[in-house]
């Protein structure tokens, strides 16, 4: 994402209120790409931005950082070494193995998604103690934490609240749900600091994201990937066989809205937040509705359906949509892109420019 297309969120923060370093894990991933640019746009030159990824960051991403590390989040010693070098006051923990990839190697997903999160939560807690002030911890969670047992119940449930249907069927969903709880523990109970020294704790804030569609990148290893894959394939003139049924329905959101939601949650005054974990919602099309929208802009696109049992089962277990009234009430969340605007104003113009089509 370029700065030109990034809608700069309203900020309650100034460089004067927090000059500590911002640590971003998974900086080489899909959300990392957009988030690093947004953080650099706002903070470069005022605060250290430290990018971390299991692979070396590409030059364009590293340019947004003041330091970058190739390091596995599940390697506690490597995380400790980074912690010693920087005065971290904010952690944006994006690194994760997504749902489809996690089912191929559940033990690796557990290691990266849970142990990696444990290492970074500990880093945040230690840093808060050292600094004598709370360290913010921004954590993208997911609709994969939900698990609806049958299609009939999925349809009956409609928009689920944060507290319904929490029986995930994927290792990824189980891992993300576990980290939400670990975040609650560190924020409220760790060493009983929360009772008398609330300012020295981890200020854990999390958003359960729907499938995310970006014009700049395509996800890997997720189960909502059919949305972005349909569009990017059509724009490149490639045939696409969708791995879920036409009637499969889950919520989606554009990448700019996703990044903006995280930044707005980070900015919100703590006392306004009634929860640690929030749903956000934008639009919830079926696969068939996405295909029809793609055809509006790319009429010659060749799209077919070849559902796979495993991925269909995962999508069927996720809710049709999420109730985000808590986010709207507590920190004024509102998506910029509904389904039509997402395609007409953001995805299609940028994708046409990108692929020259
Ligand atoms: N995009 C994720 C996945 O498909 C869901 O949050 O795994």
């Amino acid at each position: 994402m370029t700065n030109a297309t990034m809608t700069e969120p309203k900020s309650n923060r100034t460089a004067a209120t927090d000059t500590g370093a911002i640590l971003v894990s998974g900086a080489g991933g899909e959300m990392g790409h957009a988030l690093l640019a947004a953080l650099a746009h706002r903070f470069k030159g005022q605060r250290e931005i430290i990018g971390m990824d299991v692979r070396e960051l590409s030059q364009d991403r590293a340019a947004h950082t003041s330091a970058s590390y190739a390091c596995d989040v599940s390697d506690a010693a490597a995380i400790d070494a980074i912690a010693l070098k920087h005065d971290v006051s904010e952690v944006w923990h994006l690194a994760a193995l997504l749902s489809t990839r996690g089912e191929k190697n559940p033990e690796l997903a557990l290691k990266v998604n849970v142990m990696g999160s444990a290492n970074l939560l500990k880093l945040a807690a230690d840093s808060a103690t050292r600094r004598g002030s709370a360290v913010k911890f921004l954590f993208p969670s997911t609709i994969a934490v939900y698990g609806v047992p049958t299609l009939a119940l999925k349809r009956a449930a409609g928009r689920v609240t944060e507290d319904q249907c929490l029986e995930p069927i994927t290792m990824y969903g189980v891992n993300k749900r576990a980290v939400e709880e670990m975040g609650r523990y560190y924020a409220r109970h760790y060493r009983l600091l929360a009772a008398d020294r609330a300012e020295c704790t981890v200020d854990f804030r999390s958003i359960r994201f729907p499938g995310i569609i970006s014009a700049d990148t395509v996800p890997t290893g997720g189960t909502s990937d059919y949305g972005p894959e349909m569009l990017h394939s059509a724009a490149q003139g490639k045939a696409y066989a969708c791995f879920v049924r036409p009637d499969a329905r889950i919520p989606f959101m554009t990448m700019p809205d996703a990044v903006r939601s995280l930044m707005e949650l980070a900015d919100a005054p703590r006392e306004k937040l009634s929860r640690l974990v929030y749903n956000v919602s934008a639009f919830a099309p079926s696969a068939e509705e996405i295909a029809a929208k793609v055809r509006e802009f790319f009429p010659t696109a060749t799209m077919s359906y070849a559902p796979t049992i495993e991925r269909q089962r995962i999508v069927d277990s996720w809710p049709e949509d999420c109730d985000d009234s808590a986010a709207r009430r507590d920190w004024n969340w509102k998506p910029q892109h509904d389904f039509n605007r997402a395609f007409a104003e953001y995805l299609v113009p940028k994708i046409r420019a990108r692929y020259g089509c």
Side-chain angles (χ1 to χ4, degrees):
M1 180 177 313
T2 64
N3 290 340
T5 59
M6 189 68 214
T7 310
E8 178 60 9
K10 293 183 288 303
S11 175
N12 296 320
R13 295 187 287 177
T14 62
T17 59
D18 189 351
T19 53
I22 302 170
L23 175 64
V24 181
S25 79
E30 205 198 5
M31 187 175 263
H33 174 82
L35 190 77
L36 268 190
L39 288 172
H41 181 68
R42 190 190 290 179
F43 295 116
K44 200 156 182 207
Q46 300 165 19
R47 298 175 66 179
E48 267 190 295
I49 300 175
I50 305 152
M52 216 172 83
D53 199 87
V54 69
R55 281 177 289 273
E56 199 83 41
L57 288 189
S58 62
Q59 271 189 353
D60 60 324
R61 291 188 195 213
H64 292 309
T65 68
S66 30
S68 64
Y69 297 93
C71 135
D72 180 344
V73 278
S74 66
D75 179 345
I79 300 293
D80 282 349
I82 294 173
L84 285 176
K85 288 195 194 147
H86 302 277
D87 174 32
V88 174
S89 67
E90 250 171 64
V91 177
W92 298 64
H93 175 34
L94 313 181
L97 248 67
L98 297 183
S99 54
T100 292
R101 185 147 177 240
E103 290 316 291
K104 293 200 173 114
N105 194 341
E107 288 72 28
L108 180 65
L110 183 69
K111 182 166 165 248
V112 172
N113 296 347
V114 178
M115 290 317 298
S117 301
N119 289 338
L120 287 173
L121 280 164
K122 179 72 167 53
L123 176 154
D126 289 348
S127 192
T129 304
R130 209 169 37 240
R131 308 182 94 238
S133 62
V135 167
K136 277 188 187 158
F137 195 101
L138 276 300
F139 180 65
S141 188
T142 164
I143 52 163
V145 301
Y146 297 111
V148 192
T150 65
L151 259 185
L153 285 171
K154 168 168 169 157
R155 290 192 182 122
R159 288 161 66 86
V160 299
T161 67
E162 284 89 349
D163 302 314
Q164 290 177 302
C165 306
L166 292 167
E167 291 186 16
I169 70 162
T170 61
M171 181 54 112
Y172 171 67
V174 168
N175 297 164
K176 288 281 188 176
R177 182 78 190 103
V179 178
E180 291 178 1
E181 288 299 304
M182 286 155 63
R184 186 179 59 76
Y185 168 78
Y186 271 97
R188 299 209 170 134
H189 304 291
Y190 181 63
R191 293 191 176 164
L192 300 179
L193 280 179
D196 53 350
R197 293 179 60 203
E199 73 283 5
C200 301
T201 60
V202 176
D203 181 359
F204 183 83
R205 303 175 181 212
S206 177
I207 290 181
R208 288 188 188 147
F209 282 109
I212 298 176
I213 313 186
S214 169
D216 299 316
T217 48
V218 275
T220 46
T223 316
S224 57
D225 295 5
Y226 62 91
E229 283 173 2
M230 264 189 210
L231 175 62
H232 282 263
S233 302
Q236 294 171 86
K238 294 183 187 160
Y240 184 68
C242 178
F243 56 76
V244 293
R245 292 186 316 267
D247 68 318
R249 186 184 299 278
I250 55 166
F252 282 93
M253 166 177 288
T254 63
M255 183 62 86
D257 268 342
V259 167
R260 190 168 55 82
S261 69
L262 263 186
M263 295 190 81
E264 287 181 1
L265 179 62
D267 286 346
R270 180 75 251 173
E271 63 277 11
K272 295 268 187 210
L273 303 179
S274 62
R275 316 184 51 90
L276 298 180
V277 179
Y278 287 90
N279 282 343
V280 289
S281 184
F283 46 90
S286 64
E288 193 170 31
E289 286 163 355
I290 300 177
K293 182 58 76 186
V294 167
R295 269 199 203 92
E296 267 178 41
F297 296 96
F298 302 101
T300 57
T302 309
M303 287 179 277
S304 58
Y305 294 90
T308 67
I309 291 169
E310 300 82 3
R311 294 177 110 183
Q312 183 66 61
R313 188 165 163 259
I314 293 173
V315 166
D316 285 346
S317 79
W318 292 349
E320 288 196 341
D321 202 359
C322 295
D323 179 341
D324 62 355
S325 49
R328 288 178 187 254
R329 182 191 63 227
D330 288 1
W331 44 279
N332 298 322
W333 159 247
K334 191 175 184 301
Q336 188 183 342
H337 297 130
D338 61 17
F339 190 40
N340 289 329
R341 293 184 69 183
F343 279 76
E345 295 177 14
Y346 162 63
L347 291 167
V348 173
K350 282 208 80 185
I351 277 182
R352 282 200 198 286
R354 175 176 175 187
Y355 297 118
C357 54

